[in-house]
Amino acid sequence: MAGEGIRARQKEQTRRTLLREARRLFATSGYGAVGLAEIVRAAGVSKGALYHQFDSKEDLFRAVLTEVQQEVGAAVARAADAQAEPWDRLTVGCETFLAAGADREVQQIMLIDGPAVLGWSEWRAMDEESSARHLADALHSLVADGTLPDQPVAPLVRLLSGAMNEAALWLAASRNPEDLPATQQALRRLLSALRTA
């Protein structure tokens, strides 16, 4: 029994190490420039150990992307949930997404390589499970309380999500520290225009 517990901990430690090193390499070099040999060398494990955890480089990337998306989704939810008013939850959540998406690691893994490596459909499905779900919940509550006009929420989620993803990509390439606050201010104006008159 004790041996099984030790093996399970070692397996989990190997998985965490592979994820950490793959994430670092994918973020700095991009998926296409990183080989499995480089990942196992950085993690200090054998290729066999990698294949014991993941079926392929793409499978490892999918796990890294899931981790990044969950972190961004959790940051958005934390920031939004700290607000008392539903409108503030929406605006602060969106601003937090922009700030997280401006991070170069998040941009490379989540916004550039994610759709390119996994394909648009799978990437969108993963995005739905993280950030887009929070956005949809916020918009549904604002339509329900009359803050936003009665309308189908699904198209609005896609429009806002697409705009924020595009803004995050632009911010990640920007070298001007004023661009993030300016983009967040533009987003607040855009969201305010959606409100019921």
Side-chain angles (χ1 to χ4, degrees), residues 86-103:
W87 181 256
D88 295 334
R89 284 194 287 276
L90 172 69
T91 56
V92 168
C94 289
E95 289 173 5
T96 302
F97 176 82
L98 280 181
D103 178 84

Side-chain angles (χ1 to χ4, degrees), residues 38-187:
E38 188 178 0
I39 294 169
V40 296
R41 187 171 46 254
V45 301
S46 68
K47 271 196 180 178
L50 183 143
Y51 283 119
H52 188 68
Q53 298 282 339
F54 303 99
D55 293 335
S56 63
K57 178 181 158 186
E58 182 180 307
D59 190 39
L60 173 57
F61 177 79
R62 184 178 290 107
V64 168
L65 174 59
T66 298
E67 183 179 86
V68 170
Q69 285 183 318
Q70 288 173 347
E71 288 172 10
V72 170
V76 168
R78 266 193 316 276
D81 291 345
Q83 306 304 310
E85 296 298 319
W87 181 256
D88 295 334
R89 284 194 287 276
L90 172 69
T91 56
V92 168
C94 289
E95 289 173 5
T96 302
F97 176 82
L98 280 181
D103 178 84
R104 297 199 191 295
E105 177 178 292
V106 171
Q107 180 230 10
Q108 183 66 48
I109 293 170
M110 191 171 89
L111 300 173
I112 295 174
D113 285 339
V117 173
L118 301 180
W120 180 254
S121 295
E122 183 176 354
W123 180 82
R124 270 310 288 154
M126 292 175 74
D127 186 53
E128 286 286 331
E129 287 300 311
S130 56
S131 301
R133 181 173 42 88
H134 299 296
L135 180 58
D137 291 345
L139 292 170
H140 275 293
S141 71
L142 291 167
V143 168
D145 74 9
T147 302
L148 294 179
D150 189 26
Q151 62 188 296
V153 168
L156 190 55
V157 170
R158 271 76 187 168
L159 287 166
L160 290 175
S161 180
M164 288 187 291
N165 285 341
E166 182 62 30
L169 281 169
W170 177 72
L171 286 168
S174 168
R175 299 290 181 256
N176 184 346
E178 296 303 313
D179 284 342
L180 177 58
T183 304
Q184 289 173 323
Q185 185 177 24
L187 177 64

